[in-house]
Amino acid sequence: MKVVEKFISINGEGRRAGELAVFIRFKGCNLNCSYCDTKWANEPACDYEELSPDDICEYVSETGIKNVTLTGGEPLLQKDIRSLVEKLLNKSDIRVEIETNGAVDIAPLANAFSKEKLSLTMDYKLPSSGCEEKMLLSNMEALRKQDTVKFVSGSVKDLECAEKIIGKFHLTERCQVFISPVFGSIEPVEIVNFMTSKRMNDVRLQIQMHKVIWDPEERGV
Ligand SMILES: C[S@@+](CC[C@H](N)C(=O)[O-])C[C@H]1O[C@@H](n2cnc3c(N)ncnc32)[C@H](O)[C@@H]1O
Ligand SMILES: Nc1nc2[nH]cc(C(=O)O)c2c(=O)[nH]1
Ligand code: SF4
Ligand SMILES: [Mg+2]
């Protein structure tokens, strides 16, 4: 598996935001979002370590951290991802979260690992990302209670689109729903005002905590 960085931090996003987590970031992506904060990991020339699922499990065990976040790049493009998840979940105290872009089929993983110990955080890419047409809508049917759909929004047009999608797929009844600003592009208060005006119950605003704690450009945090 092509790993571009691995580190311990607090999770700055997702259901376990604020908790310690160990991060494994994989190389390469099938999308090219306008705002992507990890474009460097998607460059063909980006350096990486070739690690097997066993190597990654050993690293995770050595850290003593219980939450594992698999991200990228697009982690679901790694051909051994299922084997890695299986090996991690075999460890009794490990919880795995996968950040995925909404353009890769999540059903094989969601169906194989129904236990609460695997949660998927799936983006729905909004118009300002430039990638909305790549969204695989069949993924909406595969979501489970422990999963999250995240709308990274950079404009009011994005927010309007998010609201439509949340309603169309009844997302607040299926899973967790988060709205997060494209960092630095929209004031969080605009999102709050939009949520208030539309009475968006059961939707949560989330700001990437690691970009507030550290320099937003810093890697490995
Ligand atoms: C870098 S991506 C990697 C995982 C996967 N490719 C995806 O897009 O979900 C991890 C998360 O960071 C979010 N993200 C990337 N750039 C961002 C930015 N500039 N502001 C806010 N969130 C951003 C993505 O939308 C995604 O939810
Ligand atoms: N601290 C921290 N938390 C994160 N949660 C999701 C991340 C990601 O890049 O997917 C991330 C990240 O890059 N850093
Ligand atoms: S899908 Fe994720 S990694 Fe790929 S370009 Fe978009 S934000 Fe970046
Ligand atoms: Mg990140």
Side-chain angles (χ1 to χ4, degrees):
M1 306 183 87
K2 294 181 168 46
V3 175
V4 294
E5 61 176 1
K6 50 191 196 323
F7 57 93
I8 299 170
S9 187
I10 52 108
N11 200 338
E13 305 168 26
R15 312 178 58 188
R16 293 193 174 270
E19 289 187 25
L20 286 174
V22 52
F23 291 84
I24 311 291
R25 190 179 305 284
F26 295 103
K27 175 173 168 154
C29 188
N30 55 334
L31 301 185
N32 183 19
C33 304
S34 58
Y35 52 71
C36 180
D37 60 10
T38 52
K39 281 194 161 81
W40 59 272
N42 304 337
E43 298 291 341
C46 178
D47 244 358
Y48 64 91
E49 253 184 301
E50 185 70 51
L51 296 178
S52 67
D54 283 324
D55 295 334
I56 295 170
C57 276
E58 193 182 325
Y59 166 72
V60 166
S61 293
E62 281 168 1
T63 66
I65 302 290
K66 291 183 179 177
N67 297 323
V68 181
T69 298
L70 306 178
T71 186
E74 175 47 50
L76 297 192
L77 296 179
Q78 298 292 313
K79 76 171 173 31
D80 287 338
I81 194 77
R82 188 163 163 165
S83 154
L84 173 61
V85 172
E86 192 164 3
K87 284 173 191 285
L88 288 169
L89 293 184
N90 276 341
K91 299 183 182 294
S92 58
D93 52 351
I94 296 286
R95 298 178 285 248
V96 178
E97 180 178 0
I98 302 183
E99 297 267 341
T100 184
N101 65 17
V104 181
D105 190 5
I106 62 168
L109 273 179
N111 296 336
F113 303 101
S114 55
K115 287 183 286 185
E116 287 239 355
K117 288 182 4 161
L118 172 69
S119 61
L120 303 169
T121 299
M122 185 183 85
D123 273 19
Y124 180 93
K125 301 294 181 187
L126 294 166
S128 78
S129 71
C131 293
E132 193 186 2
E133 79 282 3
K134 300 278 174 46
M135 292 300 93
L136 202 62
L137 296 178
S138 59
N139 275 344
M140 300 297 189
E141 309 301 324
L143 294 162
R144 302 139 324 142
K145 273 282 173 212
Q146 71 265 37
D147 298 327
T148 300
V149 176
K150 178 160 53 154
F151 295 90
V152 175
S153 309
S155 64
V156 172
K157 184 177 173 202
D158 279 357
L159 291 167
E160 283 166 349
C161 175
E163 198 220 358
K164 278 206 194 88
I165 295 292
I166 292 166
K168 181 172 176 189
F169 294 98
H170 307 285
L171 291 182
T172 53
E173 289 150 43
R174 282 180 197 274
C175 62
Q176 319 271 317
V177 180
F178 287 6
I179 298 183
S180 191
V182 172
F183 193 83
S185 293
I186 183 170
E187 288 301 325
V189 69
E190 263 200 81
I191 299 180
V192 178
N193 289 342
F194 184 87
M195 288 171 67
T196 307
S197 70
K198 302 289 180 180
R199 300 290 189 263
M200 293 175 79
N201 288 301
D202 303 317
V203 172
R204 204 175 309 169
L205 168 67
Q206 185 160 78
I207 293 164
Q208 291 178 300
M209 227 188 272
H210 49 296
K211 293 189 186 167
V212 176
I213 301 174
W214 291 279
D215 179 332
E217 301 297 323
E218 189 140 343
R219 294 188 193 173
V221 293

